[in-house]
DNA sequence: AAACATGATTTACT
DNA sequence: AGTAAATCATGTTT
């Protein structure tokens, strides 16, 4: 609060310099030239002397003298003289002022504080809300804990900010009224126009708002630091929940021939996953982004070492194969059936993979009767993926279904299912004979 | 603590 | 704009 004191002092200086009786516009010393009426002159000189020494004296003394002066018979005359002089110099003083540029820096700070929820309306009572949020999200506690920690700190900052701001506001008002009282008081001895008072108030406010700006600036800094410490820890990754991984893997392995979910599919997957995961909230697009990351990583890592993913692939393939088989069966029996087992969107309907195309056709021929074109086709396709995979694991069945085309464990990439074909069949052959493949598929 | 797993970021390409 | 590939940085397992 040194600053404050300094400013006050500065303000005091301004007010004195501009208007005080001991300012530069003091009349020349009362010696003057040889006058016509020396007694009168002496009188005036006396008064001026008294005026000029007022400030050097104690308050009581000054008060007394002021009173004396106010009642002096010469007072009206002197006052009018002062008015006159002021009139002449007043214009020059006033001209330079009166423009109010909305300081861009200040606006920037304000916007930022508003955006960070520091200066905005109190949302939900700080720690209570944080606690509530933590309680509400139940399982995913680690994230919430961190988050509530962040919010607690933010609340702290906001409290400090607001109390300080209030303090400044109060001080400003106090000081303003003080100065105004002073001016009003002085207006009895010297002419002070309302404009001047206004200007003075303006000056005071400007000074105080510059102090406020400092406050805002340091608050912003604090918030930024807090952010970088907590939320902005973008690098600080958080593993997906088991459930989310399940969903994603399911999609991946059931779309192995084309594991590129469309935007919509991503959103849907994100909805399914990120809700349970409570993955980085705020920034609405982060969830689909995460899905994209996941698929990107998955694709590259899968391709890089297919062997490593065998087990997983089997698992998910078998998993979905059940539903797939059911769905296919249903489709065969009832052409109207539109099984919603897999969340694929129609967009993936068109492939240019000869391999899967064959299979697709064969499955279609299986259906025999009429089907609903693309939609059913797409569903079947995704199921075919999983079926084929399962089939490829069981040596016997691949022949049984005449699937010799899909010799490689993942006939899909054998043909460059997605982009390149880095040694498709070289890696793993369906040697391991896990009898684990569900016999459901045989139907 | 080392090794591995994994989500995110960066870079370059199309 | 969307990916692949390389890389980073952290989480998890050993």
């Amino acid at each position: 609060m040194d600053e404050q004191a300094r400013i006050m002092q500065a303000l005091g200086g301004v007010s004195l310099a501009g208007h005080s009786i001991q300012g530069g516009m003091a009349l020349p010393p009362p010696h003057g030239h040889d006058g016509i009426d020396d007694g009168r002159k002496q009188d005036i000189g006396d008064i001026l002397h008294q005026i000029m020494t007022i400030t050097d004296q104690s308050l009581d003394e000054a008060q007394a003298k002021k009173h004396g002066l106010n009642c002096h018979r010469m007072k009206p005359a002197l006052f009018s003289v002062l008015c006159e002089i002021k009139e002449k110099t007043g214009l020059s003083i006033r001209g330079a002022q009166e423009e109010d540029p909305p300081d861009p820096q200040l606006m920037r700070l304000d916007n930022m504080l508003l955006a960070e929820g520091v200066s905005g309306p109190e949302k939900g009572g700080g720690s209570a809300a944080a606690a509530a949020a933590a309680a509400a999200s139940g399982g995913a506690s680690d994230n919430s804990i961190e988050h509530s920690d962040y919010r607690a700190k933010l609340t702290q900052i906001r409290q400090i900010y607001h109390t300080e701001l209030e303090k400044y506001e109060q001080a400003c008002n106090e000081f303003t009224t003080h100065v105004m009282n002073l001016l009003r008081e002085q207006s009895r001895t010297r002419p002070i126009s309302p404009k001047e008072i206004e200007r003075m108030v303006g000056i005071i406010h400007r000074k105080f708002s510059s102090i406020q700006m400092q406050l805002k600036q340091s608050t912003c800094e604090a918030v930024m630091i807090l952010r970088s410490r907590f939320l902005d820890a973008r690098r600080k990754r958080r593993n997906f929940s088991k459930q989310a991984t399940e969903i994603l893997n399911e999609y991946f392995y059931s779309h192995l021939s084309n594991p590129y979910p469309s935007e919509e599919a991503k959103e849907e997957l994100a909805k399914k996953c990120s809700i349970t995961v409570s993955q980085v909230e705020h920034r609405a697009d982060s969830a689909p982004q995460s899905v994209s990351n996941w698929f990107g990583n998955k694709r590259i890592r899968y391709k890089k070492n297919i062997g490593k993913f065998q087990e997983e692939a089997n698992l998910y393939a078998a998993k979905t194969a059940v539903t797939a088989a059911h769905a296919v069966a249903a489709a065969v029996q009832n052409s109207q059936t539109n099984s919603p087992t897999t969340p694929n969107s129609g967009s993936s309907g068109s492939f240019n993979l000869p391999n899967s195309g064959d299979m697709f056709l064969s499955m279609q021929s299986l259906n025999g009767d009429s089907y609903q074109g693309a939609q059913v086709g797409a569903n079947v396709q995704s199921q075919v993926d999983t079926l084929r995979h399962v089939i490829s694991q069981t040596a016997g069945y691949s022949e049984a279904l005449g699937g010799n085309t899909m010799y490689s464990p993942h006939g899909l990439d054998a043909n460059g299912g997605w982009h390149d074909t880095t040694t498709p069949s070289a890696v793993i052959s369906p040697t391991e004979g896990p009898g684990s493949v569900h016999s459901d598929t045989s139907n």
Side-chain angles (χ1 to χ4, degrees), chain A residues 38-58:
Chain A
D38 259 1
R40 192 106 172 252
K41 252 192 187 167
Q42 187 56 43
D43 201 2
I44 291 176
D46 229 23
I47 295 170
L48 288 175
H49 182 70
Q50 280 185 44
I51 291 172
M52 289 202 284
T53 52
I54 275 181
T55 46
D56 296 334
Q57 295 160 358
S58 77

Side-chain angles (χ1 to χ4, degrees), chain A residues 34 36 56 111 160 307 402:
Chain A
D34 28 341
I36 311 154
D56 296 334
N111 286 339
I160 293 172

Side-chain angles (χ1 to χ4, degrees), chain A residues 116-136:
Chain A
E116 296 300 331
V118 175
S119 63
E122 180 103 4
K123 45 176 180 182
S127 58

Side-chain angles (χ1 to χ4, degrees), chain A residues 140-378:
Chain A
S141 54
D142 52 331
N143 192 5
S144 303
I145 282 174
E146 253 179 51
H147 198 231
S148 72
D149 196 8
Y150 166 81
R151 286 184 43 166
K153 288 234 161 67
L154 189 65
T155 305
Q156 210 176 323
I157 289 178
R158 183 169 52 200
Q159 266 169 2
I160 293 172
Y161 170 78
H162 276 129
T163 53
E164 287 298 301
L165 201 62
E166 202 173 326
K167 232 189 282 179
Y168 289 171
E169 206 79 42
Q170 197 180 332
C172 179
N173 285 339
E174 242 166 59
F175 189 66
T176 303
T177 55
H178 180 247
V179 167
M180 277 174 70
N181 282 341
L182 218 63
L183 288 177
R184 211 171 300 139
E185 169 80 27
Q186 286 190 5
S187 72
R188 285 198 296 182
T189 30
R190 65 191 187 87
I192 296 175
S193 68
K195 263 274 191 327
E196 270 179 289
I197 297 180
E198 204 176 290
R199 199 161 60 86
M200 188 59 53
V201 171
I203 290 171
I204 294 170
H205 282 179
R206 260 194 289 283
K207 291 286 181 190
F208 270 91
S209 76
S210 84
I211 299 174
Q212 282 188 4
M213 190 154 104
Q214 280 186 335
L215 172 67
K216 284 175 182 177
Q217 197 150 20
S218 47
T219 304
C220 271
E221 248 170 63
V223 171
M224 288 326 271
I225 289 170
L226 186 66
R227 264 184 84 87
S228 67
R229 284 269 299 282
F230 285 83
L231 285 186
D232 192 47
R234 304 187 292 187
R235 283 282 185 189
K236 204 173 185 198
R237 73 180 177 76
R238 186 177 311 290
N239 282 348
F240 291 160
S241 74
K242 207 77 181 162
Q243 206 178 352
T245 318
E246 290 262 308
I247 292 167
L248 293 169
N249 271 321
E250 237 167 75
Y251 188 98
F252 180 80
Y253 286 111
S254 65
H255 296 70
L256 208 47
S257 64
N258 187 33
Y260 297 86
S262 66
E263 266 324 296
E264 297 142 358
K266 278 183 205 167
E267 295 235 6
E268 198 163 323
L269 285 169
K271 224 178 282 173
K272 276 190 181 175
C273 302
S274 71
I275 283 177
T276 43
V277 181
S278 84
Q279 191 76 359
V280 205
E281 65 282 343
H282 84 309
R283 229 179 87 173
D285 65 333
S286 73
Q289 177 59 39
S290 292
V291 173
S292 296
N293 286 340
W294 191 90
F295 273 90
N297 285 323
K298 191 72 183 182
R299 280 190 300 260
I300 196 73
R301 281 161 185 163
Y302 179 86
K303 197 167 74 176
K304 216 163 184 169
N305 191 351
I306 294 176
K308 229 174 221 164
F309 290 88
Q310 271 296 301
E311 209 174 330
E312 189 177 77
N314 291 341
L315 202 136
Y316 283 101
K319 202 172 198 168
T320 49
V322 178
T323 56
H326 286 169
V328 170
V332 170
Q333 286 180 358
N334 180 6
S335 59
Q336 296 288 341
T337 304
N338 183 2
S339 70
T341 48
T342 51
N344 60 23
S345 58
S347 68
S348 64
S350 69
F351 314 108
N352 45 7
L353 314 176
N355 240 358
S356 62
D358 283 349
M359 194 53 174
F360 188 24
L361 284 180
S362 71
M363 291 307 276
Q364 279 184 334
S365 65
L366 259 184
N367 278 0
D369 32 31
S370 67
Y371 25 72
Q372 302 193 343
Q375 187 123 27
V376 172

